[in-house]
Coordinates of all heavy atoms in Angstrom, one line a residue:
M276 N 111.7 191.8 96.3 CA 111.7 190.7 97.2 C 113.1 190.1 97.2 O 113.4 189.3 98.1 CB 110.7 189.6 96.8 CG 109.3 190.0 97.1 SD 109.1 190.5 98.7 CE 107.8 189.6 99.3
A277 N 114.0 190.4 96.2 CA 115.3 189.9 96.2 C 116.1 190.4 97.4 O 116.9 189.7 98.0 CB 116.0 190.2 94.9
E278 N 115.7 191.6 97.9 CA 116.4 192.2 99.0 C 116.1 191.4 100.3 O 116.9 191.2 101.1 CB 115.9 193.7 99.2 CG 116.4 194.6 98.1 CD 115.7 195.9 98.1 OE1 114.8 196.2 99.0 OE2 116.1 196.8 97.3
V279 N 114.8 191.0 100.4 CA 114.4 190.2 101.6 C 115.2 188.9 101.6 O 115.7 188.4 102.6 CB 112.9 189.9 101.6 CG1 112.5 189.0 102.7 CG2 112.1 191.2 101.7
E280 N 115.2 188.2 100.4 CA 116.0 186.9 100.3 C 117.4 187.1 100.7 O 118.0 186.3 101.5 CB 115.9 186.4 98.9 CG 114.5 185.8 98.6 CD 114.5 185.3 97.1 OE1 115.5 184.8 96.7 OE2 113.4 185.4 96.5
Q281 N 118.1 188.2 100.2 CA 119.5 188.4 100.6 C 119.6 188.7 102.1 O 120.6 188.2 102.7 CB 120.0 189.6 99.7 CG 121.5 189.8 100.0 CD 122.4 188.6 99.7 OE1 122.1 187.9 98.7 NE2 123.3 188.3 100.5
L282 N 118.7 189.5 102.6 CA 118.7 189.8 104.1 C 118.6 188.5 104.9 O 119.4 188.3 105.8 CB 117.6 190.8 104.4 CG 117.5 191.3 105.8 CD1 118.8 192.0 106.2 CD2 116.3 192.2 106.0
I283 N 117.7 187.6 104.5 CA 117.5 186.4 105.3 C 118.7 185.5 105.1 O 119.2 184.9 106.1 CB 116.2 185.7 104.8 CG1 115.0 186.5 105.3 CG2 116.2 184.2 105.4 CD1 113.7 186.0 104.8
K284 N 119.3 185.4 103.9 CA 120.5 184.5 103.6 C 121.7 185.0 104.5 O 122.4 184.2 105.1 CB 120.8 184.5 102.1 CG 119.9 183.6 101.3 CD 120.4 183.7 99.8 CE 119.4 182.9 99.0 NZ 119.8 182.9 97.6
T285 N 121.9 186.3 104.5 CA 123.0 186.9 105.3 C 122.8 186.6 106.8 O 123.7 186.2 107.4 CB 123.0 188.4 105.0 OG1 123.2 188.7 103.7 CG2 124.2 189.1 105.8
T286 N 121.6 186.8 107.3 CA 121.3 186.5 108.7 C 121.5 185.1 109.0 O 122.2 184.7 110.0 CB 119.9 186.9 109.0 OG1 119.7 188.3 108.7 CG2 119.6 186.8 110.5
L287 N 121.0 184.2 108.2 CA 121.2 182.7 108.4 C 122.7 182.3 108.4 O 123.1 181.5 109.1 CB 120.4 181.9 107.5 CG 118.9 182.0 107.7 CD1 118.1 181.2 106.6 CD2 118.5 181.4 109.1
T288 N 123.4 182.9 107.5 CA 124.9 182.7 107.4 C 125.6 183.0 108.7 O 126.4 182.3 109.2 CB 125.5 183.4 106.2 OG1 124.9 183.0 105.0 CG2 127.0 183.2 106.1
E289 N 125.2 184.2 109.2 CA 125.8 184.6 110.5 C 125.4 183.7 111.6 O 126.2 183.4 112.5 CB 125.4 186.1 110.8 CG 126.2 187.1 110.0 CD 127.7 187.0 110.2 OE1 128.2 187.0 111.3 OE2 128.4 186.8 109.2
I290 N 124.1 183.3 111.7 CA 123.7 182.4 112.7 C 124.4 181.1 112.6 O 124.9 180.5 113.6 CB 122.2 182.2 112.6 CG1 121.4 183.4 113.1 CG2 121.7 181.0 113.5 CD1 119.9 183.4 112.8
E291 N 124.6 180.6 111.4 CA 125.3 179.3 111.2 C 126.8 179.4 111.7 O 127.4 178.5 112.3 CB 125.3 178.9 109.8 CG 125.9 177.6 109.5 CD 125.8 177.2 108.0 OE1 125.9 178.1 107.1 OE2 125.7 176.0 107.7
R292 N 127.4 180.6 111.4 CA 128.8 180.8 111.8 C 128.9 180.8 113.4 O 129.9 180.3 113.9 CB 129.3 182.2 111.3 CG 130.7 182.5 111.5 CD 131.1 183.8 111.0 NE 130.4 184.9 111.7 CZ 130.8 185.4 112.9 NH1 131.8 184.9 113.6 NH2 130.1 186.4 113.4
I293 N 127.9 181.4 114.0 CA 128.0 181.6 115.5 C 127.7 180.2 116.2 O 128.4 179.9 117.2 CB 127.0 182.6 115.9 CG1 127.4 184.0 115.5 CG2 126.8 182.6 117.4 CD1 126.4 185.1 115.7
L294 N 126.7 179.5 115.7 CA 126.4 178.2 116.3 C 127.3 177.1 115.8 O 127.3 176.7 114.7 CB 124.9 177.9 116.0 CG 123.9 178.8 116.5 CD1 122.5 178.4 116.1 CD2 124.0 178.9 118.1
S295 N 128.0 176.6 116.8 CA 128.9 175.5 116.5 C 129.0 174.7 117.8 O 128.5 175.0 118.8 CB 130.3 175.9 116.0 OG 131.0 176.6 117.1
S296 N 129.8 173.6 117.7 CA 129.9 172.8 118.9 C 130.7 173.6 120.0 O 130.5 173.4 121.2 CB 130.7 171.5 118.6 OG 132.0 171.8 118.1
K297 N 131.5 174.5 119.6 CA 132.2 175.4 120.6 C 131.2 176.3 121.3 O 131.5 176.8 122.3 CB 133.3 176.2 119.9 CG 134.5 175.3 119.5 CD 135.6 176.1 119.0 CE 136.8 175.2 118.7 NZ 138.0 176.0 118.2
S298 N 130.1 176.5 120.7 CA 129.1 177.4 121.3 C 128.4 176.6 122.5 O 128.0 177.2 123.5 CB 128.0 177.8 120.3 OG 128.5 178.5 119.3
V299 N 128.3 175.3 122.4 CA 127.6 174.5 123.4 C 128.6 173.9 124.4 O 128.4 173.8 125.5 CB 126.7 173.4 122.7 CG1 126.1 172.5 123.7 CG2 125.7 174.1 121.8
V300 N 129.7 173.5 123.8 CA 130.8 172.9 124.7 C 131.9 174.0 124.6 O 132.5 174.2 123.6 CB 131.3 171.6 124.1 CG1 132.4 171.1 125.0 CG2 130.2 170.6 124.1
G301 N 132.1 174.7 125.8 CA 133.1 175.8 125.8 C 134.5 175.3 125.8 O 134.8 174.1 125.8
E302 N 135.4 176.3 125.7 CA 136.8 176.0 125.7 C 137.3 175.4 127.1 O 136.9 176.0 128.1 CB 137.6 177.3 125.5 CG 137.4 177.9 124.1 CD 138.0 177.0 123.0 OE1 139.1 176.4 123.2 OE2 137.4 176.9 121.9
P303 N 138.0 174.4 127.1 CA 138.5 173.8 128.3 C 139.4 174.8 129.1 O 140.1 175.5 128.6 CB 139.3 172.6 127.9 CG 138.9 172.3 126.5 CD 138.5 173.6 125.9
M304 N 139.2 174.7 130.5 CA 140.1 175.5 131.4 C 140.8 174.5 132.3 O 140.1 173.5 132.7 CB 139.2 176.4 132.2 CG 138.4 177.4 131.4 SD 137.3 178.4 132.5 CE 135.9 177.2 132.5
I305 N 142.0 174.7 132.6 CA 142.8 173.8 133.5 C 143.0 174.6 134.8 O 143.6 175.6 134.8 CB 144.1 173.3 132.9 CG1 143.8 172.6 131.6 CG2 144.9 172.5 133.9 CD1 145.0 172.1 130.8
I306 N 142.4 174.0 135.9 CA 142.5 174.6 137.2 C 143.0 173.5 138.2 O 142.3 172.5 138.4 CB 141.1 175.2 137.6 CG1 140.7 176.2 136.6 CG2 141.2 175.7 139.1 CD1 139.2 176.7 136.9
E307 N 144.2 173.7 138.7 CA 144.7 172.8 139.7 C 144.6 171.3 139.3 O 144.2 170.5 140.0 CB 144.0 173.0 141.1 CG 144.3 174.3 141.7 CD 143.7 174.5 143.1 OE1 143.3 173.5 143.7 OE2 143.6 175.6 143.6
G308 N 145.0 171.0 138.1 CA 145.0 169.7 137.6 C 143.7 169.1 137.1 O 143.6 168.0 136.7
N309 N 142.7 170.0 137.2 CA 141.3 169.6 136.7 C 141.1 170.3 135.4 O 141.3 171.5 135.3 CB 140.2 170.0 137.7 CG 140.3 169.2 139.0 OD1 140.0 168.1 139.1 ND2 140.8 169.9 140.1
T310 N 140.6 169.6 134.4 CA 140.2 170.2 133.2 C 138.7 170.4 133.3 O 137.9 169.5 133.5 CB 140.5 169.3 132.0 OG1 141.9 169.1 131.9 CG2 140.1 170.0 130.7
I311 N 138.3 171.7 133.2 CA 136.9 172.1 133.3 C 136.4 172.5 131.9 O 136.9 173.4 131.3 CB 136.7 173.3 134.3 CG1 137.5 173.0 135.6 CG2 135.3 173.6 134.5 CD1 136.9 171.9 136.4
I312 N 135.3 171.9 131.5 CA 134.7 172.2 130.2 C 133.2 172.6 130.4 O 132.4 171.8 130.8 CB 134.7 170.9 129.3 CG1 136.2 170.4 129.1 CG2 134.1 171.3 127.9 CD1 136.3 169.1 128.5
P313 N 132.9 173.9 130.2 CA 131.5 174.3 130.4 C 130.6 173.8 129.3 O 130.9 173.6 128.1 CB 131.7 175.8 130.3 CG 132.9 176.1 129.6 CD 133.8 174.9 129.8
L314 N 129.3 173.5 129.7 CA 128.3 173.1 128.8 C 127.1 174.1 129.0 O 126.7 174.4 130.1 CB 127.7 171.7 129.2 CG 128.7 170.6 129.2 CD1 128.1 169.3 129.8 CD2 129.2 170.3 127.8
V315 N 126.6 174.6 127.8 CA 125.5 175.5 127.8 C 124.4 175.1 126.8 O 124.7 174.3 125.9 CB 126.0 177.0 127.5 CG1 126.9 177.4 128.6 CG2 126.6 177.1 126.2
S316 N 123.2 175.6 127.0 CA 122.2 175.4 126.0 C 121.9 176.7 125.3 O 121.8 177.8 126.0 CB 120.9 175.0 126.8 OG 119.8 174.9 125.9
I317 N 121.8 176.7 124.0 CA 121.6 177.9 123.3 C 120.3 177.7 122.5 O 120.0 176.7 121.9 CB 122.7 178.1 122.2 CG1 124.1 178.3 122.9 CG2 122.4 179.3 121.3 CD1 125.3 178.4 122.0
G318 N 119.4 178.8 122.6 CA 118.2 178.8 121.9 C 118.0 180.1 121.2 O 118.4 181.1 121.6
F319 N 117.3 180.0 120.1 CA 117.0 181.3 119.4 C 115.8 181.1 118.5 O 115.4 180.0 118.1 CB 118.2 181.7 118.5 CG 118.5 180.9 117.3 CD1 118.0 181.3 116.1 CD2 119.2 179.7 117.4 CE1 118.2 180.5 115.0 CE2 119.5 178.9 116.3 CZ 118.9 179.3 115.1
G320 N 115.2 182.2 118.1 CA 114.1 182.3 117.2 C 114.4 183.3 116.1 O 115.1 184.3 116.4
F321 N 113.9 183.2 114.9 CA 114.3 184.1 113.8 C 113.1 184.1 112.9 O 112.4 183.1 112.7 CB 115.5 183.5 113.1 CG 115.8 184.2 111.8 CD1 116.4 185.4 111.8 CD2 115.5 183.6 110.6 CE1 116.6 186.1 110.6 CE2 115.7 184.2 109.4 CZ 116.3 185.4 109.4
G322 N 112.9 185.3 112.3 CA 111.8 185.4 111.3 C 112.1 186.6 110.4 O 112.9 187.5 110.7
G323 N 111.6 186.6 109.3 CA 111.8 187.7 108.3 C 110.6 187.7 107.3 O 109.9 186.8 107.2
G324 N 110.5 188.9 106.7 CA 109.4 189.0 105.7 C 109.5 190.3 105.0 O 110.3 191.2 105.3
G325 N 108.7 190.5 104.0 CA 108.6 191.7 103.2 C 107.4 191.7 102.4 O 106.6 190.8 102.3
G326 N 107.2 192.9 101.8 CA 106.0 193.0 101.0 C 106.0 194.3 100.2 O 106.8 195.2 100.4
T327 N 105.1 194.4 99.2 CA 105.0 195.6 98.4 C 103.5 196.0 98.4 O 102.6 195.1 98.7 CB 105.5 195.4 97.0 OG1 104.7 194.4 96.4 CG2 106.9 195.1 97.0
G328 N 103.2 197.2 98.1 CA 101.8 197.6 98.0 C 101.6 198.9 97.3 O 102.6 199.6 97.0
G329 N 100.4 199.2 97.0 CA 100.2 200.4 96.3 C 98.9 201.1 96.8 O 98.2 200.5 97.6
Q330 N 98.7 202.4 96.5 CA 97.6 203.1 96.9 C 96.8 203.5 95.7 O 97.2 203.4 94.5 CB 98.0 204.3 97.7 CG 98.8 203.9 99.0 CD 98.8 205.0 100.0 OE1 98.2 206.0 99.9 NE2 99.4 204.7 101.1
K331 N 95.6 204.1 95.9 CA 94.7 204.5 94.8 C 95.3 205.5 93.9 O 95.0 205.6 92.8 CB 93.4 205.0 95.4 CG 92.6 203.9 96.1 CD 91.3 204.5 96.6 CE 90.5 203.4 97.4 NZ 89.3 203.9 97.9
D332 N 96.2 206.3 94.5 CA 96.8 207.4 93.7 C 98.1 206.9 92.9 O 98.9 207.7 92.4 CB 97.2 208.6 94.6 CG 98.3 208.3 95.6 OD1 98.7 207.1 95.6 OD2 98.7 209.2 96.3
K333 N 98.2 205.6 92.8 CA 99.3 204.9 92.0 C 100.6 205.0 92.7 O 101.6 204.6 92.1 CB 99.4 205.5 90.6 CG 98.1 205.5 89.8 CD 97.8 204.2 89.3 CE 96.5 204.3 88.4 NZ 95.9 203.2 88.0
S334 N 100.8 205.5 93.9 CA 102.1 205.4 94.6 C 102.3 204.0 95.1 O 101.3 203.3 95.4 CB 102.1 206.4 95.7 OG 101.2 206.1 96.7
E335 N 103.5 203.6 95.1 CA 103.9 202.2 95.5 C 104.8 202.3 96.7 O 105.6 203.2 96.9 CB 104.5 201.5 94.4 CG 103.5 201.2 93.3 CD 104.2 200.3 92.2 OE1 105.2 199.6 92.5 OE2 103.6 200.2 91.1
G336 N 104.8 201.2 97.5 CA 105.7 201.2 98.6 C 106.2 199.7 98.8 O 105.6 198.8 98.3
A337 N 107.3 199.6 99.5 CA 107.8 198.3 99.8 C 108.5 198.3 101.2 O 108.9 199.3 101.6 CB 108.9 197.9 98.7
G338 N 108.5 197.2 101.8 CA 109.1 197.1 103.1 C 109.6 195.7 103.4 O 109.1 194.7 102.8
S339 N 110.6 195.5 104.2 CA 111.2 194.2 104.6 C 111.8 194.3 105.9 O 112.2 195.4 106.4 CB 112.2 193.7 103.5 OG 113.3 194.6 103.4
G340 N 112.0 193.2 106.5 CA 112.7 193.2 107.8 C 112.9 191.8 108.4 O 112.3 190.8 107.9
T341 N 113.8 191.7 109.3 CA 114.0 190.5 110.0 C 114.1 190.8 111.5 O 114.3 191.9 111.9 CB 115.4 189.9 109.6 OG1 116.4 190.7 110.0 CG2 115.4 189.6 108.1
G342 N 113.9 189.8 112.3 CA 114.0 189.9 113.7 C 114.4 188.6 114.3 O 114.2 187.5 113.8
G343 N 114.9 188.6 115.5 CA 115.3 187.4 116.2 C 115.6 187.7 117.6 O 115.7 188.8 118.1
G344 N 115.7 186.6 118.4 CA 116.1 186.7 119.8 C 116.7 185.4 120.2 O 116.5 184.4 119.5
G345 N 117.4 185.4 121.3 CA 118.0 184.2 121.7 C 118.5 184.3 123.2 O 118.3 185.3 123.8
G346 N 119.0 183.2 123.7 CA 119.5 183.1 125.0 C 120.4 182.0 125.2 O 120.5 181.1 124.4
V347 N 121.2 182.1 126.3 CA 122.1 181.1 126.7 C 121.9 180.7 128.1 O 121.7 181.5 129.0 CB 123.6 181.6 126.6 CG1 124.6 180.5 127.0 CG2 123.9 182.0 125.1
K348 N 121.8 179.4 128.4 CA 121.5 178.9 129.7 C 122.6 177.9 130.1 O 122.9 177.0 129.4 CB 120.1 178.1 129.7 CG 119.8 177.5 131.0 CD 118.5 176.8 130.9 CE 118.1 176.1 132.2 NZ 116.9 175.2 132.1
P349 N 123.2 178.2 131.3 CA 124.3 177.2 131.7 C 123.7 175.9 132.1 O 122.6 175.9 132.8 CB 124.9 177.9 132.9 CG 123.9 178.9 133.4 CD 123.0 179.3 132.2
L350 N 124.3 174.8 131.7 CA 123.8 173.5 132.1 C 124.7 172.8 133.1 O 124.2 172.1 134.0 CB 123.7 172.6 130.9 CG 122.7 173.0 129.8 CD1 122.8 172.1 128.6 CD2 121.3 173.1 130.3
G351 N 126.0 172.9 133.0 CA 126.9 172.2 133.9 C 128.3 172.3 133.3 O 128.6 173.1 132.4
I352 N 129.1 171.5 133.9 CA 130.5 171.4 133.4 C 130.9 170.0 133.4 O 130.4 169.1 134.2 CB 131.5 172.2 134.3 CG1 131.5 171.7 135.7 CG2 131.2 173.7 134.2 CD1 132.6 172.3 136.6
I353 N 131.9 169.7 132.6 CA 132.6 168.4 132.6 C 133.9 168.6 133.3 O 134.6 169.5 133.0 CB 132.8 167.9 131.2 CG1 131.5 167.7 130.4 CG2 133.6 166.5 131.2 CD1 131.7 167.4 128.9
V354 N 134.1 167.7 134.3 CA 135.4 167.8 135.1 C 136.2 166.5 134.7 O 135.7 165.4 134.9 CB 135.1 167.8 136.6 CG1 136.4 167.9 137.4 CG2 134.2 169.0 136.9
V355 N 137.4 166.8 134.2 CA 138.3 165.7 133.9 C 139.5 165.8 134.8 O 140.2 166.8 134.8 CB 138.7 165.7 132.4 CG1 139.6 164.5 132.1 CG2 137.5 165.7 131.5
N356 N 139.9 164.7 135.5 CA 141.1 164.7 136.3 C 141.6 163.3 136.5 O 141.1 162.4 135.9 CB 140.8 165.4 137.7 CG 139.7 164.8 138.5 OD1 139.5 163.6 138.4 ND2 139.1 165.6 139.3
Q357 N 142.5 163.1 137.4 CA 143.1 161.8 137.6 C 142.1 160.8 138.1 O 142.3 159.6 138.0 CB 144.3 161.9 138.5 CG 144.0 162.3 139.9 CD 145.2 162.5 140.7 OE1 146.4 162.4 140.2 NE2 145.0 162.8 142.0
D358 N 141.0 161.2 138.7 CA 140.0 160.3 139.2 C 139.0 159.9 138.2 O 138.2 159.0 138.4 CB 139.3 161.0 140.4 CG 140.2 161.3 141.6 OD1 141.1 160.6 141.8 OD2 139.9 162.3 142.2
G359 N 139.0 160.5 137.0 CA 138.1 160.2 135.9 C 137.4 161.4 135.4 O 137.9 162.5 135.4
V360 N 136.2 161.1 134.8 CA 135.4 162.2 134.2 C 134.1 162.2 134.8 O 133.5 161.1 135.0 CB 135.3 161.9 132.7 CG1 134.4 162.9 132.0 CG2 136.6 161.8 132.0
R361 N 133.6 163.4 135.1 CA 132.2 163.5 135.7 C 131.6 164.8 135.2 O 132.3 165.7 134.8 CB 132.2 163.4 137.2 CG 132.8 164.5 137.9 CD 132.7 164.3 139.4 NE 133.2 165.5 140.1 CZ 134.5 165.9 140.2 NH1 135.4 165.1 139.7 NH2 134.8 167.0 140.8
I362 N 130.3 164.8 135.3 CA 129.5 166.0 134.9 C 128.9 166.6 136.2 O 128.2 165.8 136.9 CB 128.4 165.7 133.8 CG1 129.1 165.2 132.6 CG2 127.6 166.9 133.6 CD1 128.1 164.8 131.5
E363 N 129.1 167.8 136.4 CA 128.5 168.6 137.5 C 127.4 169.5 136.9 O 127.7 170.3 136.0 CB 129.5 169.4 138.3 CG 130.6 168.5 138.9 CD 130.1 167.9 140.2 OE1 129.1 168.3 140.8 OE2 130.8 166.9 140.6
Q364 N 126.2 169.4 137.4 CA 125.1 170.2 136.9 C 125.1 171.5 137.6 O 125.3 171.7 138.8 CB 123.8 169.4 137.2 CG 122.5 170.1 136.7 CD 121.3 169.3 137.0 OE1 121.3 168.3 137.5 NE2 120.2 169.9 136.6
V365 N 124.8 172.6 136.8 CA 124.5 173.9 137.4 C 123.1 174.0 137.7 O 122.2 173.8 136.9 CB 124.9 175.0 136.4 CG1 124.6 176.4 136.9 CG2 126.4 175.0 136.0
K366 N 122.8 174.2 139.0 CA 121.4 174.2 139.4 C 120.9 175.7 139.6 O 121.6 176.6 139.8 CB 121.3 173.5 140.8 CG 121.6 172.0 140.6 CD 121.4 171.3 141.9 CE 121.9 169.8 141.7 NZ 121.9 169.1 142.9
G367 N 119.6 175.8 139.4 CA 118.9 177.1 139.6 C 118.7 177.8 138.3 O 119.7 178.1 137.6
A368 N 117.5 178.1 137.9 CA 117.2 178.7 136.6 C 117.8 180.1 136.5 O 118.2 180.5 135.4 CB 115.7 178.7 136.3
G369 N 117.9 180.8 137.6 CA 118.4 182.2 137.5 C 119.9 182.3 137.7 O 120.4 183.4 137.8
A370 N 120.6 181.2 137.8 CA 122.0 181.3 138.1 C 122.7 181.8 136.8 O 122.5 181.4 135.7 CB 122.5 179.9 138.4
S371 N 123.6 182.7 137.1 CA 124.4 183.3 136.0 C 125.5 182.2 135.7 O 125.9 181.4 136.5 CB 125.1 184.6 136.3 OG 126.1 184.4 137.2
F372 N 126.0 182.3 134.4 CA 127.0 181.3 134.0 C 128.2 181.3 134.9 O 128.7 180.3 135.3 CB 127.3 181.5 132.5 CG 128.3 180.5 132.0 CD1 127.8 179.2 131.8 CD2 129.6 180.8 131.7 CE1 128.7 178.2 131.4 CE2 130.4 179.9 131.2 CZ 130.0 178.6 131.1
V373 N 128.7 182.6 135.1 CA 129.9 182.7 135.9 C 129.8 182.2 137.3 O 130.6 181.4 137.8 CB 130.4 184.2 135.9 CG1 131.6 184.4 136.8 CG2 130.7 184.6 134.5
S374 N 128.7 182.6 138.0 CA 128.5 182.1 139.4 C 128.3 180.6 139.4 O 128.7 180.0 140.3 CB 127.4 182.9 140.1 OG 126.2 182.6 139.5
G375 N 127.5 180.1 138.5 CA 127.2 178.7 138.4 C 128.5 177.9 138.2 O 128.7 176.9 139.0
V376 N 129.3 178.3 137.3 CA 130.6 177.6 137.1 C 131.5 177.7 138.3 O 132.1 176.8 138.7 CB 131.3 178.1 135.8 CG1 132.7 177.5 135.7 CG2 130.5 177.6 134.6
G377 N 131.5 178.9 138.9 CA 132.3 179.1 140.1 C 131.9 178.2 141.2 O 132.8 177.6 141.9
D378 N 130.6 178.0 141.4 CA 130.1 177.2 142.5 C 130.5 175.7 142.2 O 131.0 175.0 143.1 CB 128.6 177.2 142.6 CG 128.1 178.5 143.1 OD1 128.9 179.3 143.7 OD2 126.9 178.8 142.9
V379 N 130.4 175.3 141.0 CA 130.7 173.9 140.6 C 132.2 173.7 140.8 O 132.7 172.6 141.3 CB 130.2 173.6 139.2 CG1 130.7 172.2 138.8 CG2 128.7 173.6 139.2
I380 N 133.0 174.6 140.3 CA 134.5 174.5 140.5 C 134.9 174.4 142.0 O 135.7 173.6 142.4 CB 135.2 175.7 139.8 CG1 135.1 175.5 138.3 CG2 136.7 175.7 140.2 CD1 135.6 176.7 137.5
S381 N 134.2 175.2 142.8 CA 134.5 175.2 144.2 C 134.2 173.8 144.8 O 135.0 173.3 145.6 CB 133.7 176.3 145.0 OG 134.1 177.6 144.6
K382 N 133.0 173.3 144.5 CA 132.6 172.0 144.9 C 133.6 170.9 144.5 O 134.0 170.0 145.2 CB 131.2 171.6 144.5 CG 130.2 172.4 145.2 CD 128.8 172.1 144.7 CE 127.7 173.0 145.3 NZ 126.4 172.8 144.7
A383 N 134.0 171.0 143.2 CA 135.0 170.0 142.7 C 136.3 170.1 143.5 O 136.9 169.1 143.8 CB 135.2 170.3 141.2
M384 N 136.8 171.3 143.8 CA 138.0 171.5 144.5 C 137.9 170.9 145.9 O 138.8 170.3 146.5 CB 138.4 172.9 144.6 CG 138.8 173.6 143.2 SD 140.1 172.7 142.3 CE 139.2 171.9 141.1
E385 N 136.7 171.1 146.6 CA 136.5 170.6 147.9 C 136.5 169.1 147.9 O 137.1 168.5 148.8 CB 135.1 171.1 148.4 CG 135.1 172.6 148.8 CD 133.7 173.1 149.1 OE1 132.8 172.3 149.3 OE2 133.5 174.3 149.2
K386 N 135.8 168.5 146.9 CA 135.8 167.0 146.9 C 137.2 166.5 146.6 O 137.6 165.5 147.2 CB 134.9 166.6 145.7 CG 133.4 166.7 146.0 CD 132.6 166.3 144.9 CE 131.1 166.5 145.1 NZ 130.3 166.1 144.0
R387 N 138.0 167.2 145.8 CA 139.4 166.7 145.6 C 140.2 166.8 146.8 O 141.0 165.9 147.2 CB 140.0 167.5 144.5 CG 141.4 167.0 144.1 CD 141.9 167.6 142.9 NE 143.2 167.0 142.7 CZ 144.1 167.5 141.9 NH1 143.8 168.5 141.1 NH2 145.3 166.9 141.8
A388 N 140.0 167.9 147.6 CA 140.8 168.1 148.8 C 140.4 167.0 149.9 O 141.3 166.4 150.6 CB 140.5 169.4 149.4
E389 N 139.1 166.6 149.9 CA 138.7 165.6 150.8 C 139.3 164.2 150.4 O 139.7 163.5 151.3 CB 137.1 165.4 150.8 CG 136.4 166.6 151.4 CD 134.9 166.5 151.2 OE1 134.4 165.6 150.6 OE2 134.2 167.5 151.6
K390 N 139.4 163.9 149.1 CA 140.0 162.7 148.7 C 141.5 162.6 149.0 O 142.0 161.6 149.4 CB 139.8 162.5 147.2 CG 138.4 162.1 146.9 CD 138.2 161.8 145.4 CE 136.8 161.4 145.1 NZ 136.6 161.1 143.7
K391 N 142.1 163.8 148.9 CA 143.6 163.8 149.3 C 143.8 163.5 150.7 O 144.8 162.9 151.1 CB 144.2 165.1 148.9 CG 144.5 165.3 147.4 CD 145.2 166.6 147.1 CE 145.5 166.6 145.6 NZ 146.3 167.9 145.3
E392 N 142.9 164.1 151.6 CA 143.0 163.9 153.0 C 142.8 162.4 153.4 O 143.4 161.9 154.4 CB 142.0 164.7 153.7 CG 142.3 166.2 153.7 CD 141.3 167.1 154.3 OE1 140.3 166.5 155.0 OE2 141.4 168.3 154.2
E393 N 142.0 161.7 152.7 CA 141.8 160.3 153.0 C 143.0 159.5 152.6 O 143.7 158.7 153.0 CB 140.6 159.7 152.2 CG 139.3 160.4 152.6 CD 138.2 159.9 151.6 OE1 138.4 159.2 150.7 OE2 137.0 160.4 151.9

């Protein structure tokens, strides 16, 4: 059972390393004077177990394993510019992160152009 414990500890250490504030709040990008910061939701599940057993003929066996799954869902972006700070939501459950951020960036650039024209 020590093998199972070590396997679970190693897995949890890696999960802890991966999950940080940088996982949810992405690296800022500067585009035409706008600082764009992506926001995502991260979810995961994890399990592990092990056991030993024997048969009538006195043979013994042991087994252990872990499993997990996860996903990333784009939520929106934070836009910081000379007009202030705002959050733009990424809409649509099936939207990919890249296309969602691209749409929001396009909208932000359009709004900025409209304000400049005024």
